[in-house]
């Protein structure tokens, strides 16, 4: 059976995680995914505010990118420490600050960006939900680039499979596994971007502040919950609550869906 699985598996491309290295300077695809996501967000948000009565200026967008970067990095690392490996970091506190060793949580980064966005909008007196809708439209491409970087790194791979899409990952053992990073890149990245593009440009949703943000949150959480059925759970966590299917990613995505529904159906005020 294992010989059949290996024969039917796709070939993993084995791309070097390091794009180039000059002396002590090392440029990794993973770092570039963050940079590329932020650059795209800046360019796309700048384009989206070229409408009548925009919620902010181009200078605001440029300033916000730095705030967002801090929210992503600080929130993402804090979320990983608390949600995924708290017992280890309690006994190894110094390692919690070693971001260069890897370990980031989307859900933590999401909370970090939410906090940064609220503080930024209050400081600059920008309507929060109108601004958040623009951020939501620009975010999926960054998610897609991050998942592609996970694929290049050969990390966060899927469960063992006999699917013709299976691949043998260098750190995933001898059997083919789902390329779940690519599933996430397509669903929570490209597909979600296209959906929000259509909703923003061809419906009246942008005139209902918070609705597009709610769609983004529900879209991400739904895609993540679905792909978790194919993704290998974290080794040190496994499946949770005595089940053989429930993962930390699904648990953390549940309140996101509830929050997204609130944003879509909440009473709206002109001041927001």
């Amino acid at each position: 059976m294992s010989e059949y699985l290996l024969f039917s598996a796709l070939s993993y491309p084995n791309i070097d995680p390091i794009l180039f290295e000059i002396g002590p300077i090392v440029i990794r695809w993973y770092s570039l995914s963050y940079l590329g996501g932020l650059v795209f967000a800046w360019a796309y948000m700048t384009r989206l505010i070229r409408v009548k009565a925009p919620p902010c200026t181009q200078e605001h967008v440029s300033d916000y990118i730095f705030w967002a970067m801090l929210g992503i990095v600080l929130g993402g690392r804090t979320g990983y420490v608390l949600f995924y490996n708290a017992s280890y970091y309690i006994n190894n506190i110094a390692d919690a600050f070693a971001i260069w060793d890897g370990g980031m949580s989307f859900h933590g980064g999401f909370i970090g960006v939410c906090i940064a966005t609220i503080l930024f909008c209050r400081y600059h007196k920008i309507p929060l939900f109108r601004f958040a809708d623009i951020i939501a439209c620009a975010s999926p491409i960054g998610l897609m680039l991050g998942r592609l970087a996970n694929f290049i790194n050969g990390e966060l791979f899927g469960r063992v499979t006999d699917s013709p899409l299976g691949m043998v990952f260098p750190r995933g053992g001898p059997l083919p596994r789902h390329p779940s990073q690519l599933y996430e890149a397509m669903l929570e990245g490209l597909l979600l971007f296209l959906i929000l593009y259509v909703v923003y440009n061809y419906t009246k949703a942008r005139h209902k502040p918070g609705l597009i943000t709610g769609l983004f949150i529900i879209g991400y959480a739904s895609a993540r919950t679905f792909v978790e059925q194919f993704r290998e759970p974290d080794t040190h966590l496994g499946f949770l609550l005595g089940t053989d299917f429930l993962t930390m990613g699904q648990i953390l995505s549940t309140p996101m869906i509830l929050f997204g529904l609130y944003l879509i159906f909440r009473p709206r005020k002109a001041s927001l």
Side-chain angles (χ1 to χ4, degrees):
M1 181 63 179
S2 61
E3 290 81 1
Y4 167 75
L5 292 178
L6 290 172
F7 178 77
S8 63
L10 294 176
S11 177
Y12 177 72
N14 271 321
I15 302 172
D16 192 338
I18 298 176
L19 179 59
F20 65 85
E21 183 175 2
I22 304 176
I25 301 175
V26 179
I27 305 299
R28 300 178 181 273
W29 287 106
Y30 194 72
S31 301
L32 285 181
S33 72
Y34 278 84
L35 179 60
L38 290 169
V39 170
F40 177 84
W42 171 79
Y44 194 58
M45 289 172 67
T46 299
R47 175 183 176 275
L48 292 180
I49 64 172
R50 294 174 185 170
V51 298
K52 183 178 180 181
C56 63
T57 66
Q58 183 172 339
E59 289 73 21
H60 285 141
V61 172
S62 298
D63 290 344
Y64 172 75
I65 294 301
F66 176 74
W67 290 60
M69 180 181 66
L70 287 180
I72 291 170
V73 174
L74 296 179
R77 184 58 176 177
T78 302
Y80 179 79
V81 169
L82 295 178
F83 300 149
Y84 288 92
N85 220 345
S87 60
Y88 170 80
Y89 289 108
I90 287 175
N91 298 309
N92 300 272
I93 295 177
D95 290 350
F97 302 97
I99 297 177
W100 51 88
D101 288 336
M104 296 286 282
S105 161
F106 168 83
H107 296 91
F110 172 75
I111 294 172
V113 169
C114 285
I115 294 173
T117 302
I118 291 170
L119 294 176
F120 181 84
C121 288
R122 286 185 176 179
Y123 181 77
H124 290 283
K125 296 180 173 58
I126 295 172
L128 173 60
F129 287 113
R130 290 186 63 202
F131 190 63
D133 285 346
I134 294 174
I135 298 169
C137 288
S139 296
I141 296 301
L143 299 180
M144 181 184 75
L145 294 176
R147 293 309 181 192
L148 292 177
N150 292 147
F151 178 75
I152 291 173
N153 288 347
E155 60 190 6
L156 305 183
F157 42 73
R159 305 176 195 178
V160 173
T161 179
D162 58 359
S163 164
L165 297 177
M167 294 182 179
V168 178
F169 288 88
R171 290 182 285 175
L175 296 178
R177 295 175 174 273
H178 283 287
S180 54
Q181 315 98 320
L182 300 183
Y183 302 167
E184 289 191 78
M186 293 300 103
L187 293 177
E188 69 193 39
L190 183 59
L191 178 61
L192 185 54
F193 173 79
L194 293 175
I195 290 173
L196 295 180
Y197 175 85
V198 171
V199 170
Y200 185 89
N201 289 283
Y202 298 103
T203 73
K204 296 181 179 179
R206 69 176 183 271
H207 301 301
K208 299 177 181 180
L211 193 154
I212 291 177
T213 302
L215 288 176
F216 164 74
I217 294 172
I218 291 174
Y220 170 83
S222 299
R224 177 67 181 270
T225 299
F226 173 72
V227 176
E228 286 286 318
Q229 299 178 75
F230 306 97
R231 177 172 162 175
E232 183 73 14
D234 296 86
T235 304
H236 58 284
L237 291 178
F239 297 108
L240 304 180
L241 302 180
T243 69
D244 59 357
F245 63 89
L246 189 62
T247 66
M248 179 61 77
Q250 291 172 326
I251 289 177
L252 295 175
S253 294
T254 300
M256 291 186 67
I257 293 176
L258 298 176
F259 182 48
L261 290 172
Y262 164 74
L263 291 180
I264 291 174
F265 295 108
R266 70 180 179 86
R268 286 174 171 77
K269 299 178 181 180
S271 60
L272 299 177

